[in-house]
Amino acid sequence: MWGRGLLRGAKFAQLSSPSPSSPSSRSLLSAASTASSNLLSSQYQRGRWFGSSTANMAPIRDPNTLSNYDAWRTRHTTANLKIDFTDKRLRGSVILELESQTDKASKEIILDSSYVAVNSIKLNSAPSTWETKARTEPNGSPVHIAVPEGAAKGEVVKVEIELATTDKCTALQWLTPAQTSNKAAPFMFSQCQAIHARSLFPCQDTPDVKSTYDFNITSPYVVVASGVPVPDETKDLGEEKLYKFQQKVPIPSYLFALSSGDIASAPVGKRSCVCTGPNELKESQWELEGDMDKFLEAAEKIVFPYRWGEYNVLVLPPSFPYGGMENPIFTFATPTIISGDKQNIDVIAHELAHSWSGNLVTSCSWEHFWLNEGWTMYLERRILASIHGGDAHFDFSAIRGWKALEEAIKEYGEDHEFTKLCISHKGIDPDDAFSTVPYEKGFHFVWSLDRLVGRENFDKFIPYYFGKWSNKSLDSYEFKDTFLEFFSAPEYSDLKDKIASIDWEGRFHSTGLPPKPEFDTSLADVCYELAEKWKSKDFTPSPSDVSSWTGNQILVFLNAVQDFEQPLTVEQSQALGKAYGLSESKNAELKAAYFHIAMRSKDTSAYQGVADLLGDVGRMKFVRPLFRGLNKVDRELALKTFEKNREFYHPICRQMVEKDLGVAAAA
């Protein structure tokens, strides 16, 4: 997912910098930091009780699931669901095919659920005894299903659950026709990462379990899902249609995705199409056409051939909270990438890279999220360097990422638990721990390994790693073992001392910034030079200053201005916005960066523009920092703006902004 700079992390940055918790919770986390890292480390070293995903019964190693996936593992899921736009519900049944991991030792199946209305459960087509247990935060209400006789090891049982989602479902957002661009139909989309699939249907909601899927979805409007469409089996059912999709590559529950509405599509590559509202189709096609094939071909040269068949992009309405979400087959993307200048489509490179890192090879829990995002940032930058022509582009993107990482760690505090790569998630909602850190700090660890062994050697390791762990999940120590295993081969004996110098424990568990590398700053130097000129109040700007620059270069320049020890004057801020067309730009990245400068300058004339932008975009990368900035300079306007747009924001975004503004308890 890239908050990724898009959505995160890019999906770069899909995520914004973190917001500080209350003082008491911050100090509690800080105090627990050392203990929790020692706990994680000792658990791994003590024979790794977290285990690995093998045919043998493996101990549970994900603290954010209540399921007993050590005893039963979901192998296939069939979703027979009807999208009810009137009541804003999904209704129907889900069939889970679970393989016994014991020889009749387990007498019950435990599934994750959260605010799901379960009507009945059948076990192998017969009524079963089941119970939804009391809710515990943050993991929800487990559903216990009796299996009185147990099952032989390797035997598969079918659990059929009749259900409906509720108004407390955190995975779905429902938009009225008025909230769409052409006002013709309602719209619905899902966002299951991190632990929100359990609010759609009871499941083993952990990245440590992967399942194939059949989607049978009924809706009065076009449906998109995280599977390959089966067009010949689409059936007319009067005013509704039955849409079928298949996902033959096993995926974790957080990649289950649905969307439905007035959706049109157009080709943008040999293996790709773009789907979006009819009014946005032409501009979306223009923005993406010509680049999709390049991205795919570049990625395949770095890793190995794409295994998912199609790679498509669904451009969602503005309330989508991330830059992108790497749902297989159909990346869900923010409309902010459609900026009319092709300056923000690097998000696609990030989400595409997830087809290998995250989707094919997956971290076993959110404690090891860096394995998904750090690797994806690395692959994204390799893809972009390949397309744009050289390592200078790789480093230029990394420079931007380092800036975001510095900001995130400054916001948390250098000794905060959430600035580690491996974070203890016991009692923690993964959404609260998400930030730029696993993206950029993870990237810097992967890149450091690349530099240590040399690009030629590392390029041989990449397909080995992704091949070995395809369709599986792993933890940080299994990654370490894989790296050491590969480079123990005789042909790499000259690297022995270098590899022995790697401080694995320090990389996994140290807080704060990682070692800063030497960047190639050739593409950034002109940005810094212009920023230096703005330190003089006598500088007269001209549109020609940036007319030949890319959008990302302008962004680096704006970030440098944001970092001035003394903010610009109100007059300078206004001149900046006017000369470079920032206040009226259609590029949300540039507009948001400019507004941060304006707010720091106390330019009150820009505050309403901030509020207006907050009513136009729902991407958390922009929404959360802008609300925090506006809250500092005009809390009344910040609260008024949030209240006005509360229903516009996705439930995940809404909850996070409530915390940022300190109104969560009253919500």
Side-chain angles (χ1 to χ4, degrees):
M1 173 175 58
W2 184 215
R4 297 148 280 131
L6 100 72
L7 179 179
R8 152 205 225 265
K11 248 166 301 74
F12 185 33
Q14 328 179 8
L15 296 171
S16 65
S17 298
S19 87
S21 316
S22 65
S24 60
S25 63
R26 282 177 63 88
S27 61
L28 177 62
L29 278 167
S30 179
S33 175
T34 301
S36 62
S37 64
N38 290 340
L39 173 63
L40 271 172
S41 180
S42 64
Q43 287 168 340
Y44 286 120
Q45 299 304 324
R46 203 167 51 241
R48 258 186 246 156
W49 63 265
F50 285 91
S52 61
S53 301
T54 67
N56 296 323
M57 180 177 172
I60 290 173
R61 53 182 179 173
D62 180 357
N64 290 117
T65 181
L66 298 174
S67 68
N68 59 341
Y69 73 88
D70 57 333
W72 306 87
R73 279 186 173 262
T74 306
R75 297 307 186 193
H76 186 73
T77 303
T78 302
N80 304 305
L81 298 172
K82 178 178 179 179
I83 301 175
D84 182 345
F85 281 96
T86 301
D87 291 339
K88 298 181 179 178
R89 302 282 192 273
L90 298 183
R91 305 181 190 276
S93 69
V94 171
I95 301 171
L96 305 177
E97 299 178 30
L98 299 110
E99 180 184 345
S100 174
Q101 305 297 295
T102 73
D103 191 10
K104 299 186 177 182
S106 177
K107 306 300 183 183
E108 67 174 355
I109 295 169
I110 305 173
L111 303 175
D112 293 303
S113 79
S114 179
Y115 301 120
V116 178
V118 177
N119 300 318
S120 67
I121 299 178
K122 293 181 180 179
L123 179 67
N124 291 332
S125 301
S128 68
T129 301
W130 59 277
E131 179 185 5
T132 301
K133 300 287 189 176
R135 184 176 184 85
T136 57
E137 297 297 346
N139 292 337
S141 310
V143 176
H144 290 239
I145 306 163
V147 188
E149 304 300 322
K153 187 173 182 179
E155 181 181 347
V156 174
V157 302
K158 287 190 176 183
V159 173
E160 182 175 357
I161 307 168
E162 292 286 339
L163 59 92
T165 59
T166 68
D167 58 2
K168 292 185 178 181
C169 175
T170 54
L172 299 176
Q173 182 164 16
W174 303 85
L175 305 180
T176 66
Q179 291 175 293
T180 66
S181 61
N182 66 0
K183 320 296 183 187
F187 197 94
M188 180 277 293
F189 65 88
S190 66
Q191 171 59 37
C192 289
Q193 193 180 53
I195 57 171
H196 300 282
R198 65 192 67 182
S199 71
L200 296 179
F201 54 87
C203 59
Q204 293 180 323
D205 196 9
T206 168
D208 210 10
V209 172
K210 294 186 173 184
S211 165
T212 52
Y213 281 82
D214 280 314
F215 301 79
N216 302 308
I217 312 298
T218 302
S219 175
Y221 306 104
V222 175
V223 173
V224 166
S226 50
V228 176
V230 189
D232 293 342
E233 296 190 24
T234 300
K235 296 180 180 179
D236 284 313
L237 303 174
E239 295 182 356
E240 299 177 323
K241 283 187 177 181
L242 172 63
Y243 296 84
K244 294 192 175 186
F245 304 81
Q246 289 184 334
Q247 181 51 265
K248 295 182 179 180
V249 181
I251 59 174
S253 56
Y254 76 85
L255 294 177
F256 180 94
L258 290 176
S259 184
S260 184
D262 188 9
I263 298 172
S265 64
V268 291
K270 297 175 183 176
R271 290 175 276 180
S272 305
C273 71
V274 61
C275 299
T276 189
N279 288 8
E280 293 77 36
L281 185 62
K282 186 175 181 179
E283 61 184 13
S284 296
Q285 184 181 28
W286 179 87
E287 198 88 24
L288 300 176
E289 201 169 29
D291 290 300
M292 303 297 280
D293 290 340
K294 293 178 184 177
F295 286 152
L296 274 164
E297 290 166 6
E300 288 178 321
K301 288 179 181 178
I302 296 166
V303 193
F304 49 62
Y306 182 76
R307 295 184 177 179
W308 303 84
E310 303 176 13
Y311 180 73
N312 307 310
V313 177
L314 173 66
V315 180
L316 287 165
S319 57
F320 185 56
Y322 300 111
M325 180 61 209
E326 62 271 17
N327 300 313
I329 313 301
F330 282 94
T331 281
F332 284 18
T334 171
T336 62
I337 70 170
I338 310 301
S339 53
D341 55 10
K342 289 184 177 284
Q343 293 296 314
N344 290 321
I345 60 172
D346 287 359
V347 170
I348 301 302
H350 183 93
E351 303 311 329
L352 172 62
H354 267 304
S355 300
W356 290 268
S357 173
N359 294 8
L360 200 62
V361 176
T362 311
S363 63
C364 69
S365 78
W366 305 108
E367 296 181 322
H368 305 274
F369 187 48
W370 76 270
L371 285 168
N372 290 6
E373 297 299 348
W375 262 105
T376 299
M377 290 305 306
Y378 175 82
L379 292 177
E380 172 198 338
R381 287 169 176 151
R382 289 289 304 273
I383 292 168
L384 296 176
S386 173
I387 290 174
H388 297 310
D391 287 340
H393 292 273
F394 182 101
D395 284 44
F396 181 70
S397 176
I399 290 169
R400 294 176 57 213
W402 184 267
K403 171 75 163 53
L405 180 60
E406 286 181 321
E407 291 175 349
I409 290 177
K410 180 180 179 181
E411 190 81 35
Y412 275 133
E414 291 187 0
D415 60 348
H416 197 285
E417 170 77 7
F418 291 173
T419 66
K420 299 177 181 178
L421 280 189
C422 298
I423 302 169
S424 173
H425 274 55
K426 186 175 181 180
I428 292 174
D429 186 329
D431 286 342
D432 291 339
F434 277 7
S435 74
T436 301
V437 172
Y439 294 81
E440 292 297 344
K441 194 170 183 177
F443 159 77
H444 277 281
F445 184 30
V446 175
W447 189 25
S448 74
L449 297 176
D450 172 5
R451 299 195 308 276
L452 182 75
V453 302
R455 176 62 56 83
E456 183 178 351
N457 293 327
F458 198 70
D459 278 353
K460 296 174 183 176
F461 171 70
I462 292 172
Y464 175 81
Y465 166 63
F466 285 103
K468 177 173 181 174
W469 289 99
S470 288
N471 302 330
K472 300 174 185 175
S473 304
L474 78 162
D475 62 41
S476 299
Y477 287 86
E478 287 168 319
F479 169 74
K480 170 188 173 182
D481 291 346
T482 304
F483 184 86
L484 296 178
E485 171 189 79
F486 181 83
F487 285 104
S488 68
E491 59 263 39
Y492 302 115
S493 59
D494 59 324
L495 298 173
K496 181 179 179 181
D497 291 342
K498 286 185 175 181
I499 291 172
S501 71
I502 301 171
D503 180 8
W504 295 93
E505 289 301 313
R507 286 288 190 168
F508 292 158
H509 300 298
S510 293
T511 59
L513 288 167
K516 185 175 182 178
E518 291 291 328
F519 293 113
D520 176 346
T521 63
S522 57
L523 292 177
D525 287 341
V526 291
C527 311
Y528 299 141
E529 289 167 6
L530 179 60
E532 281 297 312
K533 294 179 181 178
W534 277 90
K535 289 183 177 179
S536 169
K537 294 181 174 58
D538 297 327
F539 176 66
T540 302
S542 167
S544 63
D545 295 340
V546 298
S547 60
S548 64
W549 288 9
T550 66
N552 285 335
Q553 285 180 300
I554 297 174
L555 195 60
V556 167
F557 155 70
L558 293 174
N559 288 339
V561 174
Q562 287 179 45
D563 285 344
F564 284 179
E565 185 174 340
Q566 293 295 325
L568 298 184
T569 65
V570 171
E571 292 74 20
Q572 283 180 300
S573 174
Q574 292 174 349
L576 176 73
K578 183 177 180 180
Y580 302 153
L582 299 171
S583 56
E584 303 302 323
S585 174
K586 293 183 179 180
N587 189 319
E589 290 272 5
L590 303 183
K591 199 169 188 176
Y594 164 68
F595 279 143
H596 283 294
I597 293 171
M599 286 190 288
R600 189 161 181 252
S601 299
K602 301 295 193 298
D603 178 6
T604 57
S605 69
Y607 296 174
Q608 188 55 50
V610 176
D612 292 342
L613 182 59
L614 285 167
D616 292 336
V617 301
R619 183 177 170 188
M620 288 195 290
K621 179 188 179 183
F622 305 131
V623 171
R624 295 186 65 194
L626 285 172
F627 262 120
R628 290 199 294 267
L630 188 59
N631 190 49
K632 291 177 181 178
V633 297
D634 191 336
R635 179 167 174 80
E636 182 179 354
L637 180 58
L639 294 175
K640 178 182 176 182
T641 301
F642 177 64
E643 202 56 42
K644 177 182 178 181
N645 298 292
R646 174 188 290 271
E647 297 307 314
F648 165 71
Y649 298 127
H650 186 279
I652 297 172
C653 179
R654 184 164 60 241
Q655 291 171 10
M656 300 310 293
V657 174
E658 286 174 346
K659 293 178 181 179
D660 292 338
L661 296 179
V663 297

